[in-house]
Amino acid sequence: MAAAAPTLVFLCTNQVSGLLPAVAATTVTALLLLAWRLRARQQVREAIVGALLATACAAVAAGTGQTRGFFLLPMLLPALATAACLLSLVAGRPLAGLVANRIAGGPPQWRSHRRLHRFYAVITMLISLVSLASLAAQVWLYHWGEVAWLGLLHVLMGPIWAAVTALSIVLSRRAVTRSKRLRNVSPGWVERTADTSPPPGPR
């Protein structure tokens, strides 16, 4: 909720007092949140990035003289995510594998495991589709000047991406576990098959 505070402050203040007071209130809110997190030593890096992003969004809105300008920079994030996912697929290094495989405890040579590689490719494609849908919705709302809906989507994308990330990690751990189980079972199955095979007949 704290991450969404600058956006909510911007929307509410803009509705009541106008653009310039909203820019000032957003900047103050971002700095107060940063100071609070620095004092509590909680997610310091994320707090710094969030404060810089909120301040930059407010500056863009002030520079363009339009309320919807606040959401120009956030629109770049799904665009970059979509491009990164598609480029990683083209390169044969699915982004989901590069990020989630180590967290899931997968093998370092996951790209040589056909099942894992295919699984990470599917996850990467799904993430790219979510990013593309988010980008399309934001561009459409920005074009029609639907600032309130833009703000709501901006606030909701945080929990949505958190859920997508958590689900990707859970599925990756299951895929890694299944892959390890198959590798452990296969040699034994081959050995048992060899032991129970009938002896060769006389030549």
Side-chain angles (χ1 to χ4, degrees), residues 104-121:
Q109 302 83 10
W110 59 269
R111 286 189 295 118
S112 62
H113 296 266
R114 187 172 57 183
R115 289 178 179 270
L116 278 180
H117 189 278
R118 183 169 59 246
F119 167 79
Y120 288 133

Side-chain angles (χ1 to χ4, degrees), residues 37-117:
R37 286 188 171 179
L38 288 176
R39 182 177 180 181
R41 297 181 180 179
Q42 295 178 352
Q43 300 176 327
V44 175
R45 183 179 301 176
E46 291 81 358
I48 294 175
V49 173
L52 290 175
L53 181 59
T55 304
C57 290
V60 171
T64 59
Q66 295 180 330
T67 305
R68 64 179 183 175
F70 184 86
F71 301 99
L72 272 175
L73 288 180
M75 287 169 57
L76 295 176
L77 298 180
L80 293 175
T82 303
C85 288
L86 294 179
L87 289 175
S88 70
L89 290 173
V90 172
R93 298 170 178 264
L95 187 61
L98 296 175
V99 176
N101 184 71
R102 181 176 298 181
I103 301 175
Q109 302 83 10
W110 59 269
R111 286 189 295 118
S112 62
H113 296 266
R114 187 172 57 183
R115 289 178 179 270
L116 278 180
H117 189 278

Side-chain angles (χ1 to χ4, degrees), residues 140-198:
W140 189 85
L141 293 172
Y142 182 89
H143 175 73
W144 291 105
E146 298 288 346
V147 177
W149 287 106
L150 264 174
L152 178 62
L153 181 60
H154 181 68
V155 170
L156 290 178
M157 285 312 299
I160 289 175
W161 277 118
V164 169
T165 302
L167 181 61
S168 299
I169 293 175
V170 170
L171 293 177
S172 297
R173 285 175 175 168
R174 290 184 178 180
V176 168
T177 301
R178 189 181 304 112
S179 176
K180 290 179 178 179
R181 187 182 299 119
L182 289 174
R183 291 203 312 271
N184 292 334
V185 169
S186 294
W189 182 84
V190 173
E191 184 177 353
R192 287 194 301 271
T193 303
D195 292 340
T196 57
S197 59

